[in-house]
Amino acid sequence: MSSHREAPEVSKDPVADNTDVYAFVSPDKPSHVTLIANFIPFQNPQGGPNFYEFGDDVLYEIKISNSGTAGEADIVYRFRFVTGIRNKKTFLYNTGPITSISDSTWTRPQYYSVTRYEKGKGWTTLAERLACPPVNVGPRSTPNYEKLAAQAVHRIAGGRTVFAGQRAEGFHVDLGSIFDLGTLRPYQMAHLIPSAAAAGVNGTQGLNVHSIAIQVPKTDLTAGHGAPTDVDDTRSVIGVWATASRQKIRVLKVGQGKAEDAGPFRQVSRLGNPLFNEVITPMAEKDTWNSVGPDGDKRFAQYVARPELAGLLPVLYPGVFPRLAAYKKDRADLLAILLTGIPKGVVPGFQNYTGANQADMLRLNLAVPPAKKPNPIGLVAGDAAGFPNGRRPIDDVVAIELRAVAGATIPLVDPSFTPDDASGGLTDGTSNTNPPFLDVFPYLGTPAGGYQTTPGTAGGAA
């Protein structure tokens, strides 16, 4: 998974579990950048009567580095939520159809504030008491969900647009195969049982997440607020990651079913590149990784340089990856992709380098325009607007990273290496089988409805 339940402690705290981060130049508005952070993994659409919602006690932040460093972020967008109760006499989430996000029939509305930090200037409040949409309960409770979601897209100060609420899970992966010792269904069948064929099974099919999305002008993110126009200029590159934090002290109030939080906030979850903490960081260090900033990621570089999965593939598939098995050098290709960005000259006409400092951030070159014909394999397939140049919802990050780990990207930094034939087509065989992505903000699809969804299938949006 990208970062769903990826560490022991955060798996117990789903409202603070950051599942995916996206950063891309908006295809329908190329003067702007869209940043998305998803939370609360594996949402069953039928999960009432206490449906999923953001945590009032969680500090959600999307952070940007525009200086090539990864210590204190240069730009931060902070989101704080508050939940109301309109009817204290009912157990129901709604007491009638919800046709507007202001309807009194919605018992438990959520609101949020957005503040922005800029290094050297401090904090500025951009908006307060913005309404979230309800979850997609079903056709009687939320009869026109697309309308409700559209009402929760808010235009705020500075040419920015925000949304916070439930969306369809856009990350797809065959969980059953990946964590069954890499038993990739299409690959396993093709190589071990030539007469058989099998597609991947999307383990997130029919499930939802909660998304925080903000679309801002490019100049909101650059150092000095200049317009990025030169792909070769490292000042056009930003690093993006998201965090969730909780206050240090929690006191349970006896007999009241409540808790009081106090003290400074401490980070409990973070995410930059997909799958970093999930499949690279050792189990014993995953909770530590979630609690520190990317400026400390040099300590984890050893696991990128010698990833465990690269060593397992030749063992799991004997004779299929002989060249990978014989390659004993540190993986300079993976260190560039995940920890420094790709320097100029490695990929013709492209770079997203932020310097030698090793830090897990999504690196996005803002001067690269959106692709006219996006390729889900991204930069590896020649689409410079795709992962690992930022990340778009359509990017198949599982296939991209499987191929990279299997050696397909080694020739970028070591032309003497010839990848194994299998590495270029490695995939888990899945695609997005949930409601389709949108062409406009907030881009992620309409969440599956509780009434419409049979577990394990993609849900309708009616």
Side-chain angles (χ1 to χ4, degrees):
M1 298 162 288
S2 181
S3 190
H4 302 50
R5 293 175 53 83
E6 84 291 347
E9 288 305 312
V10 82
S11 67
K12 306 168 189 174
D13 189 7
V15 296
D17 188 350
N18 190 338
T19 68
D20 287 283
V21 173
Y22 303 91
F24 54 96
V25 176
S26 306
D28 58 322
K29 199 173 185 179
S31 62
H32 285 58
V33 172
T34 297
L35 309 171
I36 303 174
N38 289 347
F39 296 86
I40 317 178
F42 298 118
Q43 291 184 25
N44 180 349
Q46 305 170 60
N50 296 297
F51 290 96
Y52 300 92
E53 61 190 18
F54 292 105
D56 293 356
D57 52 353
V58 178
L59 184 70
Y60 300 97
E61 295 180 317
I62 298 176
K63 299 180 177 180
I64 295 93
S65 168
N66 59 28
S67 59
T69 63
E72 179 188 0
D74 298 299
I75 305 288
V76 180
Y77 298 97
R78 175 177 290 176
F79 302 81
R80 294 300 312 271
F81 292 84
V82 60
T83 305
I85 301 177
R86 288 186 172 130
N87 184 344
K88 296 184 178 181
K89 302 297 183 181
T90 182
F91 75 94
L92 293 167
Y93 182 77
N94 56 292
T95 55
I98 306 172
T99 59
S100 167
I101 58 175
S102 61
D103 274 359
S104 60
T105 52
W106 180 18
T107 304
R108 195 173 170 85
Q110 271 202 314
Y111 305 92
Y112 64 101
S113 63
V114 186
T115 53
R116 179 181 183 273
Y117 168 84
E118 183 171 349
K119 187 181 290 186
K121 295 184 179 180
W123 290 94
T124 302
T125 299
L126 301 180
E128 294 183 292
R129 203 166 173 78
L130 299 175
C132 298
V135 301
N136 192 0
V137 180
R140 293 185 68 179
S141 295
T142 48
N144 188 340
Y145 196 83
E146 288 89 346
K147 175 184 174 183
L148 295 174
Q151 292 175 354
V153 174
H154 304 284
R155 289 169 176 79
I156 61 174
R160 307 173 183 99
T161 304
V162 295
F163 171 89
Q166 190 179 57
R167 302 310 293 163
E169 173 67 87
F171 175 70
H172 54 86
V173 62
D174 190 336
L175 295 173
S177 73
I178 292 292
F179 292 114
D180 184 17
L181 293 179
T183 310
L184 304 174
R185 295 178 211 265
Y187 181 76
Q188 177 92 354
M189 292 298 178
H191 285 266
L192 300 183
I193 312 175
S195 62
V201 177
N202 183 8
T204 65
Q205 187 167 320
L207 303 179
N208 298 324
V209 292
H210 264 56
S211 297
I212 296 173
I214 183 165
Q215 188 177 73
V216 302
K218 290 180 179 179
T219 53
D220 212 33
L221 304 176
T222 54
H225 305 291
T229 57
D230 185 357
V231 172
D232 289 334
D233 190 342
T234 55
R235 292 175 296 181
S236 297
V237 181
I238 60 171
V240 180
W241 71 102
T243 64
S245 302
R246 288 189 173 279
Q247 286 179 277
K248 192 173 181 179
I249 301 169
R250 163 157 284 202
V251 179
L252 300 178
K253 306 194 77 173
V254 177
Q256 297 185 32
K258 296 180 180 180
E260 288 185 352
D261 298 316
F265 279 91
R266 293 291 182 260
Q267 181 180 298
V268 296
S269 177
R270 73 164 162 124
L271 180 59
N273 281 293
L275 298 165
F276 193 107
N277 201 24
E278 187 81 31
V279 299
I280 292 178
T281 308
M283 181 71 71
E285 297 193 56
K286 289 181 181 294
D287 292 326
T288 299
W289 189 95
N290 264 337
S291 68
V292 299
D295 56 322
D297 285 345
K298 184 178 181 179
R299 63 179 290 185
F300 302 108
Q302 58 181 311
Y303 308 120
V304 178
R306 300 291 178 98
E308 183 180 11
L309 183 57
L312 286 174
L313 284 173
V315 176
L316 297 172
Y317 298 98
V320 177
F321 297 98
R323 297 170 190 151
L324 180 65
Y327 195 76
K328 302 304 180 183
K329 300 178 184 178
D330 283 352
R331 294 293 301 276
D333 57 321
L334 299 180
L335 289 167
I337 290 169
L338 297 175
L339 289 178
T340 65
I342 301 171
K344 179 181 177 181
V346 175
V347 178
F350 173 79
Q351 64 87 25
N352 65 352
Y353 188 60
T354 54
N357 181 59
Q358 295 176 326
D360 173 35
M361 303 183 291
L362 270 181
R363 289 168 172 84
L364 176 65
N365 190 320
L366 301 175
V368 176
K372 293 181 180 179
K373 295 182 178 180
N375 189 314
I377 305 300
L379 186 63
V380 175
D383 180 356
F387 181 77
N389 185 37
R391 181 187 173 189
R392 304 164 300 191
I394 69 158
D395 289 335
D396 188 349
V397 294
V398 173
I400 295 168
E401 293 197 355
L402 279 174
R403 295 175 191 188
V405 168
T409 54
I410 294 178
L412 294 175
V413 297
D414 186 355
S416 68
F417 178 79
T418 301
D420 296 294
D421 294 341
S423 66
L426 208 57
T427 176
D428 71 337
T430 65
S431 60
N432 181 37
T433 49
N434 283 331
F437 301 119
L438 307 181
D439 294 328
V440 297
F441 184 86
Y443 301 104
L444 297 178
T446 300
Y451 178 85
Q452 301 96 314
T453 303
T454 300
T457 66

